[in-house]
């Protein structure tokens, strides 16, 4: 139920709907509002995108990218001390040995595990929380793949590059778009049910920045629909894929040749640490939403704390585009229990429209995400045409009822069951009333620098999925993360397994000297030792509890 | 110290039997965190997609044991809350490429399905409002299309299995039905099959190489000149 203060604006939304509907029907939904040209995009990004805020970035002082501007909250984590001293560990006696160690249990980690296993490798998959706890499971709208005769991987390629402002690494985009259709076939053969027409052809929708309808979907449970199958398959292959849940990695280990050769991991519940020796190591740890950059709410999983970039960077791997964060245009802002929750782009893919307090459409609904988000921020902060919620948030409407008017009654319930359910829980019927939205922190655009085989700049270390950088430049399009995690998860699994199998039987001594070297850099830069990373979990402890917590024991300087 | 009356905007809840005052607008997850817990189990995506936070609770003057997702359920004054950190179910390993999409498979892997008492407790327990019993019944009739369709929005929180008097692990049965349906029963996607063949023939290598050879200015021209499919 929306409060009384919003009722007048809701009436305006209803009043403008017939005319907006007429325009969409007569001219087609791509003509409801003019799309921006290159100059208009540049202006709205510069003036309103959060990445351009003066405090958004700062120079990082240590590590392989020292001197580069990166996202401030990420720089804070890279300029941080280890969780545990390497001195504790006898590296000559690893607790576990494996061919391939995979750190992270989302769709990239599961895909990597399956493909590494198929190469004949013994795989150890560790994950900080449960298998499947990841941003992968939360993806709603879909996965891109050029499957229609009117489309092609080359067309997909151009859309990705334009969305990323032509800064993407071309060879990664090539791999993404060319592998796409084959990966969808692989997923179907494993048992993923994509939305399809009665004759079996896959249903496709538009997403922001797509020139062809290319978005495949599993209702609006796309990430869940894919991941539940991948993790089930991982569990079915337990003979060769060993799984350890509630086991975060806290440091990477190298060998005397400089190759990454495993990790120190923690039993998250008993606080024991273990040394794992691996022929190859794959990071599939996901992104950074729980860093809440610039105080933004996030659509991300509880575990999205940038661990993989921290681990890889400290071991010596370079990052790319770590100055760029994605704010999804449509996060919920009302009611307060769901602030920051994702409202899938599929709403706009189906014809949903963002509207200001006067019920006016103010932007083409399917601009690339950074442009769309910036336009929404401009409408609220620049033009003051947003609505204020009782908890002090500002937002604009996302008109969903128009979808049923455009495509027939029942479309919303069929295509967007998760959204209907989400808002129904708070007594808002999105088939009859719009949602109130504002951009939410959504995706780590950059990450560890990789090639199409997911090799980082460090031998033996691979990265796949959100933790990898380069595919999307500084702006990802909808549906390309689900594709990235599966395409590059598979590639990482294959490449890492081959690398590890070649190295079977070699016995180069393990070392963590790189950690001490990094600590010396921290010391020189004057970094406070209380700053520790990876953080593993966000700190949501309220002040009233913190004020009542004290360290155990009697400190030396206390009166006796 | 515990206050005896609630300040404005606060309610009292019992977290695992212990009383805390928390904001009235809090979800169960928010209530745990407001009380001072740092959760590792019983928390996940926090948006209703991952099924990590199955919770049960009772309300004052109500005999019923309610079920819900802790991230999606708002607290109420006097609520008694417990969470499930883990749902034990037995899931056999199988080779999906070697299974038959028929009753034989379910009889072998999940024989408990056929112990269903039709009590509907699973359906009442489901925080997604899925008709759980209906999909179990669909499996019993070997109607995989119906089972996959009805169970589609399952997020595997496990509340159905915890409440089932016939000891069925419904959410695992659902996943097997979905996988068998996609692999063996659903009609083949002609657009995809044709496209995969084209990719494998190398048809798209040259067009992408051509794009890769363009400088940014040329790419920009192509991009802004591209036609957008009506939709």
């Amino acid at each position: 139920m929306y409060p009384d203060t919003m009722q007048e604006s809701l009436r305006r939304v209803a009043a403008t709907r017939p005319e907006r509907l007429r325009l969409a029907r007569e001219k087609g939904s791509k003509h409801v509002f003019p799309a921006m040209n290159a100059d208009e995009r540049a202006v709205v990004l510069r003036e309103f995108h959060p990445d351009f805020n003066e405090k958004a970035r700062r120079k990082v002082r240590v590590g392989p990218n020292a001197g580069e501007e990166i996202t401030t909250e990420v720089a804070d984590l890279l300029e941080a001390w280890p969780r545990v001293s390497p001195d504790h560990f006898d590296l000559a006696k690893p607790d576990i040995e494996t061919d391939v160690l995979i750190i992270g249990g989302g769709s990239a980690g599961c895909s990597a595990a399956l493909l590494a296993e198929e190469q004949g490798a013994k795989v150890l998959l560790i994950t900080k929380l449960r298998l499947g706890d990841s941003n992968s499971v939360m993806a709603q709208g879909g996965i891109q793949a050029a499957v229609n005769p009117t489309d092609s991987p080359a067309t997909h390629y151009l859309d990705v590059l334009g969305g990323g402002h032509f800064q993407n690494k071309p060879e990664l985009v090539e791999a993404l778009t060319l592998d796409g259709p084959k990966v969808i076939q692989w997923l179907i053969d494993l048992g993923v049910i994509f939305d399809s027409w009665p004759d079996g052809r896959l249903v496709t929708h538009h997403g922001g920045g797509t020139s062809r309808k290319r978005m495949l979907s599993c209702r609006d449970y796309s990430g869940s629909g894919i991941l539940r199958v991948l993790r089930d398959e991982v569990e079915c292959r337990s003979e060769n894929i060993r799984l350890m849940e509630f086991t975060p990695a806290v440091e990477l280990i190298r060998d005397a040749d400089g190759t990454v050769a495993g990790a120190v991991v923690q039993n998250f519940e008993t606080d024991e640490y273990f040394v794992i020796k691996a022929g190859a190591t794959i990071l599939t740890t996901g992104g950074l939403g729980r860093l809440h950059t610039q105080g933004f709410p996030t659509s991300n999983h509880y575990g999205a704390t940038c661990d993989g970039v921290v681990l890889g960077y400290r071991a010596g791997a370079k990052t790319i585009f770590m100055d760029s964060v994605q704010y999804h245009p449509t996060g919920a802002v009302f009611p307060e229990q769901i602030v920051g929750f994702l409202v899938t782009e599929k709403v706009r893919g189906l014809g949903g429209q963002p509207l200001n307090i006067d019920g006016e459409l103010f932007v083409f609904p399917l601009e690339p995400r950074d442009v769309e988000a910036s336009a929404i921020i401009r409408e609220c902060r620049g033009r003051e045409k947003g609505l204020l919620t009782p908890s002090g948030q500002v937002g604009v409407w996302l008109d969903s009822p128009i979808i049923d008017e455009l495509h027939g009654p029942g479309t919303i319930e069929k295509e967007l069951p998760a959204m209907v359910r989400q808002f129904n829980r708070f007594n808002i019927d999105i088939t009859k009333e719009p949602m109130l939205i504002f951009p939410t922190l959504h995706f780590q655009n950059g990450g560890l620098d990789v090639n199409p085989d997911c090799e980082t700049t460090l031998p033996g270390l691979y990265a796949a999925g959100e933790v990898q950088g380069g595919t999307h430049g500084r702006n990802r399009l909808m549906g390309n993360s689900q594709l990235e995690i599966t395409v590059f998860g598979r590639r990482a699994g294959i490449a890492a397994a081959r690398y590890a199998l070649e190295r079977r039987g070699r016995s180069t001594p393990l070392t963590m000297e790189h950690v001490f070297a990094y600590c010396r850099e921290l010391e020189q830069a004057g970094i406070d030792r209380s700053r520790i990373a990876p953080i593993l979990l966000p700190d949501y402890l309220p002040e009233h509890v913190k004020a009542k917590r004290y360290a155990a024991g009697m400190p030396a300087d206390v009166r006796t | 110290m515990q206050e005896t009356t609630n300040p404005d905007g606060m309610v009292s809840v019992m977290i695992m039997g212990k009383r805390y005052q928390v904001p009235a607008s809090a979800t169960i997850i928010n209530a745990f965190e407001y009380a001072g817990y740092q959760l590792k189990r019983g928390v996940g995506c926090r948006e209703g997609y991952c099924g990590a936070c199955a919770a049960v609770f009772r309300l004052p003057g109500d005999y019923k044991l309610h079920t819900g997702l802790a991230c999606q359920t708002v607290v109420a004054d006097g609520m008694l809350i417990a969470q499930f950190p883990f749902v034990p179910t037995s899931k056999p390993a199988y080779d999906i490429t070697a299974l038959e999409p028929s009753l034989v498979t379910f009889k072998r892997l999940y024989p408990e399905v056929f112990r269903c008492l039709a009590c509907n407790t699973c359906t009442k327990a489901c925080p997604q409002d899925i008709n759980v019993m209906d999909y179990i019944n669909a499996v019993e009739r070997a109607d995989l299309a119906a089972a996959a369709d009805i169970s589609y929005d399952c997020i595997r929180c496990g509340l159905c299995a915890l409440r089932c008097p016939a000891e069925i692990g419904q959410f695992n049965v659902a996943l097997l039905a979905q996988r068998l349906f996609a692999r063996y029963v659903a009609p083949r996607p002609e657009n995809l099959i044709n496209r995969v063949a084209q990719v494998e023939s190398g048809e798209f290598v040259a067009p992408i190489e051509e794009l890769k050879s363009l400088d940014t200015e040329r790419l920009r021209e192509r991009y802004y000149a591209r036609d957008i499919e009506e939709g």
Side-chain angles (χ1 to χ4, degrees), chain A residues 30 146 159 174 189-190 193 206 211 213 218-219 228 232-233 268-269 341 422 549, chain B residues 25 36 39-41 46 49 72 91 94 127 149 152 179 183 195 212 226-229:
Chain A
K30 73 178 184 185
D159 285 349
E174 179 181 32
D189 288 343
L190 282 173
I193 306 170
H206 267 304
S211 66
K213 292 201 276 183
C218 309
R219 297 186 184 170
R228 65 191 178 205
D232 191 50
E233 185 63 16
F268 217 11
E269 288 165 323
F341 285 24
Q422 180 72 267
R549 283 199 180 170
Chain B
S25 60
L39 297 170
K40 288 178 182 169
R41 295 209 180 241
R46 307 168 73 108
Y49 287 84
Q72 300 287 309
K91 197 192 81 64
Y94 43 76
D149 181 58
Y152 200 95
R179 292 189 66 183
R183 187 182 170 90
R195 176 50 44 86
K212 279 169 77 181
R226 76 210 201 291
D227 68 302
I228 313 285
E229 181 178 5

Short mmCIF file of all heavy atoms in Angstrom, two decimals, chain A residues 30 146 159 174 189-190 193 206 211 213 218-219 228 232-233 268-269 341 422 549, chain B residues 25 36 39-41 46 49 72 91 94 127 149 152 179 183 195 212 226-229:
data_model
loop_
_atom_site.label_atom_id
_atom_site.label_comp_id
_atom_site.label_asym_id
_atom_site.label_seq_id
_atom_site.Cartn_x
_atom_site.Cartn_y
_atom_site.Cartn_z
N LYS A 30 10.00 1.17 -29.17
CA LYS A 30 11.30 1.84 -29.30
C LYS A 30 11.13 3.31 -29.66
O LYS A 30 12.10 4.06 -29.69
CB LYS A 30 12.19 1.12 -30.30
CG LYS A 30 11.81 1.27 -31.75
CD LYS A 30 12.80 0.53 -32.64
CE LYS A 30 12.48 0.76 -34.11
NZ LYS A 30 13.31 0.01 -35.01
N ALA A 146 22.73 -14.92 -28.93
CA ALA A 146 22.18 -14.59 -30.25
C ALA A 146 21.67 -15.87 -30.91
O ALA A 146 22.41 -16.54 -31.62
CB ALA A 146 23.24 -13.92 -31.10
N ASP A 159 26.79 -4.72 -29.82
CA ASP A 159 25.98 -4.20 -28.71
C ASP A 159 26.80 -4.16 -27.41
O ASP A 159 26.72 -3.21 -26.64
CB ASP A 159 24.75 -5.09 -28.48
CG ASP A 159 23.67 -4.90 -29.54
OD1 ASP A 159 23.78 -3.94 -30.33
OD2 ASP A 159 22.72 -5.71 -29.56
N GLU A 174 34.52 -11.37 -27.89
CA GLU A 174 34.43 -12.39 -28.94
C GLU A 174 34.11 -13.76 -28.33
O GLU A 174 33.21 -14.48 -28.81
CB GLU A 174 35.76 -12.44 -29.69
CG GLU A 174 35.81 -13.47 -30.80
CD GLU A 174 37.18 -13.48 -31.50
OE1 GLU A 174 38.21 -13.20 -30.83
OE2 GLU A 174 37.20 -13.77 -32.70
N ASP A 189 20.88 -29.25 -22.07
CA ASP A 189 21.22 -30.67 -21.97
C ASP A 189 21.41 -31.10 -20.51
O ASP A 189 21.15 -32.25 -20.16
CB ASP A 189 22.48 -30.99 -22.78
CG ASP A 189 22.22 -30.93 -24.27
OD1 ASP A 189 21.03 -30.97 -24.67
OD2 ASP A 189 23.19 -30.81 -25.05
N LEU A 190 21.86 -30.15 -19.68
CA LEU A 190 22.00 -30.47 -18.25
C LEU A 190 20.65 -30.43 -17.53
O LEU A 190 20.52 -30.97 -16.43
CB LEU A 190 22.96 -29.49 -17.57
CG LEU A 190 24.45 -29.72 -17.80
CD1 LEU A 190 25.25 -28.55 -17.20
CD2 LEU A 190 24.91 -31.03 -17.17
N ILE A 193 15.47 -25.23 -17.81
CA ILE A 193 14.25 -24.96 -18.59
C ILE A 193 14.18 -23.47 -18.92
O ILE A 193 13.89 -22.64 -18.07
CB ILE A 193 12.99 -25.34 -17.79
CG1 ILE A 193 13.05 -26.79 -17.31
CG2 ILE A 193 11.74 -25.11 -18.64
CD1 ILE A 193 11.94 -27.15 -16.32
N HIS A 206 13.95 -7.97 -25.45
CA HIS A 206 14.97 -6.93 -25.44
C HIS A 206 15.48 -6.71 -24.02
O HIS A 206 14.78 -6.98 -23.04
CB HIS A 206 14.39 -5.59 -25.93
CG HIS A 206 14.56 -5.36 -27.40
ND1 HIS A 206 15.79 -5.38 -28.00
CD2 HIS A 206 13.67 -5.08 -28.38
CE1 HIS A 206 15.65 -5.13 -29.30
NE2 HIS A 206 14.36 -4.95 -29.55
N SER A 211 20.21 -4.52 -29.64
CA SER A 211 19.60 -4.13 -30.91
C SER A 211 18.72 -5.24 -31.48
O SER A 211 17.99 -5.03 -32.44
CB SER A 211 20.70 -3.76 -31.92
OG SER A 211 21.47 -4.90 -32.25
N LYS A 213 16.22 -8.75 -30.13
CA LYS A 213 15.66 -9.46 -28.98
C LYS A 213 16.50 -10.73 -28.77
O LYS A 213 16.49 -11.63 -29.60
CB LYS A 213 14.18 -9.79 -29.23
CG LYS A 213 13.34 -8.51 -29.26
CD LYS A 213 11.88 -8.78 -29.01
CE LYS A 213 11.19 -9.18 -30.30
NZ LYS A 213 9.74 -9.36 -30.08
N CYS A 218 14.42 -17.60 -17.63
CA CYS A 218 13.71 -18.63 -16.88
C CYS A 218 12.72 -17.87 -16.00
O CYS A 218 13.01 -17.55 -14.85
CB CYS A 218 14.67 -19.43 -15.99
SG CYS A 218 16.12 -20.07 -16.83
N ARG A 219 11.58 -17.51 -16.58
CA ARG A 219 10.63 -16.58 -15.94
C ARG A 219 11.43 -15.37 -15.45
O ARG A 219 12.23 -14.84 -16.22
CB ARG A 219 9.87 -17.27 -14.81
CG ARG A 219 9.02 -18.43 -15.36
CD ARG A 219 8.14 -19.07 -14.33
NE ARG A 219 7.44 -20.21 -14.91
CZ ARG A 219 6.72 -21.10 -14.21
NH1 ARG A 219 6.63 -20.97 -12.88
NH2 ARG A 219 6.10 -22.09 -14.81
N ARG A 228 20.57 -23.79 -9.99
CA ARG A 228 20.12 -24.99 -9.26
C ARG A 228 20.50 -26.25 -10.03
O ARG A 228 20.79 -27.29 -9.43
CB ARG A 228 18.62 -24.93 -8.98
CG ARG A 228 17.72 -24.96 -10.19
CD ARG A 228 16.29 -24.63 -9.79
NE ARG A 228 15.38 -24.60 -10.91
CZ ARG A 228 14.24 -23.89 -10.92
NH1 ARG A 228 13.89 -23.18 -9.87
NH2 ARG A 228 13.45 -23.91 -11.96
N ASP A 232 23.38 -28.94 -8.71
CA ASP A 232 22.92 -30.33 -8.60
C ASP A 232 23.89 -31.26 -9.33
O ASP A 232 24.24 -32.33 -8.84
CB ASP A 232 21.51 -30.46 -9.18
CG ASP A 232 20.88 -31.81 -8.85
OD1 ASP A 232 20.89 -32.18 -7.67
OD2 ASP A 232 20.38 -32.48 -9.78
N GLU A 233 24.33 -30.81 -10.49
CA GLU A 233 25.26 -31.62 -11.28
C GLU A 233 26.60 -31.73 -10.56
O GLU A 233 27.23 -32.80 -10.55
CB GLU A 233 25.42 -31.02 -12.68
CG GLU A 233 26.26 -31.84 -13.64
CD GLU A 233 25.66 -33.21 -13.96
OE1 GLU A 233 24.46 -33.44 -13.70
OE2 GLU A 233 26.43 -34.07 -14.45
N PHE A 268 34.83 -21.66 8.52
CA PHE A 268 34.15 -20.44 8.94
C PHE A 268 33.44 -20.61 10.27
O PHE A 268 33.09 -19.64 10.93
CB PHE A 268 33.14 -20.03 7.85
CG PHE A 268 33.03 -18.55 7.63
CD1 PHE A 268 33.92 -17.65 8.17
CD2 PHE A 268 32.00 -18.04 6.83
CE1 PHE A 268 33.80 -16.28 7.95
CE2 PHE A 268 31.87 -16.68 6.60
CZ PHE A 268 32.77 -15.80 7.17
N GLU A 269 33.26 -21.87 10.69
CA GLU A 269 32.51 -22.10 11.92
C GLU A 269 33.40 -22.48 13.11
O GLU A 269 33.09 -22.16 14.24
CB GLU A 269 31.43 -23.14 11.67
CG GLU A 269 30.34 -22.51 10.83
CD GLU A 269 29.40 -23.49 10.19
OE1 GLU A 269 29.84 -24.57 9.76
OE2 GLU A 269 28.21 -23.17 10.12
N PHE A 341 16.56 -3.69 -3.32
CA PHE A 341 16.31 -4.96 -4.00
C PHE A 341 16.17 -4.72 -5.51
O PHE A 341 15.64 -3.71 -5.94
CB PHE A 341 15.00 -5.60 -3.50
CG PHE A 341 15.08 -6.21 -2.14
CD1 PHE A 341 16.03 -5.80 -1.21
CD2 PHE A 341 14.20 -7.22 -1.78
CE1 PHE A 341 16.09 -6.38 0.06
CE2 PHE A 341 14.26 -7.81 -0.52
CZ PHE A 341 15.20 -7.39 0.40
N GLN A 422 7.20 -10.61 -4.69
CA GLN A 422 7.97 -9.70 -3.84
C GLN A 422 7.10 -8.54 -3.35
O GLN A 422 7.08 -8.22 -2.17
CB GLN A 422 9.15 -9.17 -4.67
CG GLN A 422 10.06 -8.21 -3.97
CD GLN A 422 10.91 -8.90 -2.94
OE1 GLN A 422 10.54 -8.96 -1.78
NE2 GLN A 422 12.01 -9.46 -3.37
N ARG A 549 30.19 -3.92 23.66
CA ARG A 549 31.12 -5.04 23.49
C ARG A 549 32.52 -4.63 23.92
O ARG A 549 32.98 -3.54 23.57
CB ARG A 549 31.15 -5.50 22.03
CG ARG A 549 29.94 -6.32 21.67
CD ARG A 549 30.22 -7.12 20.42
NE ARG A 549 29.03 -7.90 20.08
CZ ARG A 549 28.88 -8.55 18.94
NH1 ARG A 549 29.83 -8.49 18.03
NH2 ARG A 549 27.80 -9.24 18.71
N SER B 25 9.49 -2.28 11.80
CA SER B 25 9.54 -2.47 10.35
C SER B 25 10.57 -3.54 9.94
O SER B 25 10.69 -3.85 8.76
CB SER B 25 9.93 -1.15 9.68
OG SER B 25 11.21 -0.73 10.15
N GLY B 36 22.20 -7.98 17.39
CA GLY B 36 23.64 -8.11 17.56
C GLY B 36 24.24 -9.38 16.99
O GLY B 36 25.43 -9.65 17.16
N LEU B 39 25.25 -13.13 11.27
CA LEU B 39 24.81 -14.43 10.77
C LEU B 39 25.78 -14.98 9.73
O LEU B 39 26.32 -14.25 8.90
CB LEU B 39 23.42 -14.29 10.14
CG LEU B 39 22.30 -13.87 11.10
CD1 LEU B 39 21.05 -13.55 10.31
CD2 LEU B 39 22.02 -14.97 12.12
N LYS B 40 26.01 -16.28 9.80
CA LYS B 40 26.71 -16.99 8.73
C LYS B 40 25.76 -18.00 8.09
O LYS B 40 25.75 -18.19 6.88
CB LYS B 40 27.94 -17.71 9.29
CG LYS B 40 29.07 -16.76 9.67
CD LYS B 40 30.24 -17.48 10.27
CE LYS B 40 31.32 -16.48 10.68
NZ LYS B 40 32.37 -17.11 11.49
N ARG B 41 24.99 -18.66 8.92
CA ARG B 41 23.94 -19.56 8.41
C ARG B 41 22.60 -18.86 8.55
O ARG B 41 22.42 -17.95 9.32
CB ARG B 41 23.95 -20.85 9.21
CG ARG B 41 25.25 -21.63 9.01
CD ARG B 41 25.01 -23.12 9.18
NE ARG B 41 26.23 -23.87 8.98
CZ ARG B 41 26.38 -24.79 8.02
NH1 ARG B 41 25.40 -25.04 7.18
NH2 ARG B 41 27.50 -25.45 7.91
N ARG B 46 19.17 -12.38 0.73
CA ARG B 46 18.38 -11.37 1.44
C ARG B 46 17.30 -10.75 0.57
O ARG B 46 16.73 -9.72 0.92
CB ARG B 46 19.29 -10.28 2.04
CG ARG B 46 20.41 -10.81 2.90
CD ARG B 46 21.44 -9.75 3.21
NE ARG B 46 20.91 -8.80 4.17
CZ ARG B 46 21.30 -8.72 5.43
NH1 ARG B 46 22.22 -9.52 5.91
NH2 ARG B 46 20.77 -7.83 6.23
N TYR B 49 15.53 -15.09 -3.09
CA TYR B 49 15.87 -15.94 -4.24
C TYR B 49 16.69 -17.18 -3.91
O TYR B 49 16.80 -18.08 -4.73
CB TYR B 49 16.65 -15.13 -5.28
CG TYR B 49 15.78 -14.17 -6.02
CD1 TYR B 49 15.50 -12.92 -5.49
CD2 TYR B 49 15.18 -14.52 -7.22
CE1 TYR B 49 14.66 -12.04 -6.14
CE2 TYR B 49 14.35 -13.65 -7.88
CZ TYR B 49 14.09 -12.41 -7.34
OH TYR B 49 13.26 -11.55 -7.99
N GLN B 72 12.10 -12.01 4.17
CA GLN B 72 10.88 -11.51 3.55
C GLN B 72 9.74 -11.34 4.55
O GLN B 72 8.63 -10.99 4.17
CB GLN B 72 10.42 -12.47 2.43
CG GLN B 72 11.40 -12.66 1.32
CD GLN B 72 11.49 -11.46 0.42
OE1 GLN B 72 10.49 -10.96 -0.07
NE2 GLN B 72 12.69 -10.96 0.23
N LYS B 91 20.12 -36.82 -0.96
CA LYS B 91 19.97 -36.67 -2.42
C LYS B 91 20.92 -37.64 -3.10
O LYS B 91 22.13 -37.47 -2.98
CB LYS B 91 20.30 -35.24 -2.84
CG LYS B 91 19.79 -34.89 -4.22
CD LYS B 91 20.34 -33.59 -4.73
CE LYS B 91 21.72 -33.75 -5.29
NZ LYS B 91 21.77 -34.62 -6.48
N TYR B 94 23.21 -39.03 -9.35
CA TYR B 94 22.74 -39.71 -10.56
C TYR B 94 23.43 -39.12 -11.77
O TYR B 94 23.98 -38.02 -11.71
CB TYR B 94 21.21 -39.60 -10.70
CG TYR B 94 20.63 -38.24 -10.38
CD1 TYR B 94 20.74 -37.19 -11.28
CD2 TYR B 94 19.98 -38.01 -9.17
CE1 TYR B 94 20.20 -35.94 -10.98
CE2 TYR B 94 19.45 -36.77 -8.86
CZ TYR B 94 19.55 -35.74 -9.78
OH TYR B 94 19.03 -34.50 -9.48
N PRO B 127 6.78 -20.87 1.40
CA PRO B 127 6.77 -19.40 1.43
C PRO B 127 6.64 -18.79 0.03
O PRO B 127 6.45 -17.58 -0.10
CB PRO B 127 8.12 -19.04 2.04
CG PRO B 127 9.00 -20.19 1.71
CD PRO B 127 8.12 -21.40 1.68
N ASP B 149 6.46 -27.37 -14.31
CA ASP B 149 5.79 -26.07 -14.37
C ASP B 149 5.36 -25.60 -12.97
O ASP B 149 5.61 -24.47 -12.58
CB ASP B 149 4.58 -26.16 -15.30
CG ASP B 149 3.87 -24.83 -15.42
OD1 ASP B 149 4.52 -23.86 -15.84
OD2 ASP B 149 2.68 -24.75 -15.08
N TYR B 152 8.33 -24.66 -10.65
CA TYR B 152 9.37 -23.84 -11.28
C TYR B 152 9.96 -22.78 -10.35
O TYR B 152 11.17 -22.53 -10.34
CB TYR B 152 8.78 -23.15 -12.51
CG TYR B 152 9.80 -22.66 -13.51
CD1 TYR B 152 10.16 -23.44 -14.60
CD2 TYR B 152 10.40 -21.42 -13.38
CE1 TYR B 152 11.08 -23.01 -15.53
CE2 TYR B 152 11.33 -20.97 -14.30
CZ TYR B 152 11.66 -21.77 -15.37
OH TYR B 152 12.58 -21.33 -16.29
N ARG B 179 14.86 -31.19 -14.45
CA ARG B 179 16.01 -31.55 -15.29
C ARG B 179 15.61 -32.58 -16.34
O ARG B 179 16.02 -32.51 -17.50
CB ARG B 179 17.16 -32.08 -14.42
CG ARG B 179 17.79 -31.01 -13.52
CD ARG B 179 19.06 -31.51 -12.85
NE ARG B 179 20.12 -31.76 -13.82
CZ ARG B 179 21.32 -32.26 -13.51
NH1 ARG B 179 21.62 -32.56 -12.24
NH2 ARG B 179 22.23 -32.47 -14.44
N ARG B 183 15.68 -31.92 -20.45
CA ARG B 183 16.58 -32.72 -21.28
C ARG B 183 15.84 -33.67 -22.22
O ARG B 183 16.27 -33.87 -23.36
CB ARG B 183 17.53 -33.52 -20.39
CG ARG B 183 18.60 -34.24 -21.18
CD ARG B 183 19.54 -35.08 -20.33
NE ARG B 183 20.35 -35.89 -21.21
CZ ARG B 183 21.53 -35.52 -21.70
NH1 ARG B 183 22.04 -34.36 -21.38
NH2 ARG B 183 22.20 -36.32 -22.51
N ARG B 195 21.37 -22.26 -34.81
CA ARG B 195 22.42 -21.30 -34.52
C ARG B 195 23.72 -21.99 -34.07
O ARG B 195 24.81 -21.62 -34.50
CB ARG B 195 21.94 -20.27 -33.48
CG ARG B 195 22.97 -19.26 -33.01
CD ARG B 195 23.71 -18.54 -34.14
NE ARG B 195 22.91 -18.09 -35.25
CZ ARG B 195 22.28 -16.92 -35.31
NH1 ARG B 195 22.36 -16.08 -34.30
NH2 ARG B 195 21.59 -16.58 -36.37
N LYS B 212 36.54 -6.48 -35.12
CA LYS B 212 37.73 -6.31 -34.28
C LYS B 212 38.77 -5.43 -34.99
O LYS B 212 39.61 -4.81 -34.33
CB LYS B 212 38.35 -7.67 -33.94
CG LYS B 212 37.65 -8.37 -32.77
CD LYS B 212 38.10 -9.81 -32.61
CE LYS B 212 39.45 -9.94 -31.95
NZ LYS B 212 39.87 -11.37 -31.84
N ARG B 226 23.16 1.33 -36.08
CA ARG B 226 22.55 0.00 -36.18
C ARG B 226 21.04 0.09 -36.01
O ARG B 226 20.56 0.96 -35.28
CB ARG B 226 23.18 -0.98 -35.18
CG ARG B 226 22.76 -0.82 -33.75
CD ARG B 226 23.89 -1.24 -32.82
NE ARG B 226 23.44 -1.57 -31.49
CZ ARG B 226 22.97 -0.70 -30.59
NH1 ARG B 226 22.82 0.57 -30.92
NH2 ARG B 226 22.59 -1.09 -29.39
N ASP B 227 20.30 -0.76 -36.71
CA ASP B 227 18.85 -0.73 -36.59
C ASP B 227 18.41 -1.57 -35.39
O ASP B 227 19.04 -2.57 -35.05
CB ASP B 227 18.19 -1.25 -37.87
CG ASP B 227 18.45 -2.72 -38.07
OD1 ASP B 227 19.65 -3.10 -38.13
OD2 ASP B 227 17.48 -3.49 -38.14
N ILE B 228 17.38 -1.09 -34.71
CA ILE B 228 16.90 -1.75 -33.50
C ILE B 228 15.64 -2.55 -33.84
O ILE B 228 14.70 -2.01 -34.41
CB ILE B 228 16.55 -0.71 -32.41
CG1 ILE B 228 17.66 0.34 -32.25
CG2 ILE B 228 16.20 -1.39 -31.09
CD1 ILE B 228 18.87 -0.12 -31.53
N GLU B 229 15.67 -3.81 -33.50
CA GLU B 229 14.51 -4.68 -33.77
C GLU B 229 13.29 -4.19 -33.00
O GLU B 229 13.39 -3.83 -31.83
CB GLU B 229 14.84 -6.11 -33.34
CG GLU B 229 13.73 -7.12 -33.59
CD GLU B 229 14.15 -8.53 -33.18
OE1 GLU B 229 15.26 -8.70 -32.63
OE2 GLU B 229 13.37 -9.46 -33.41
#
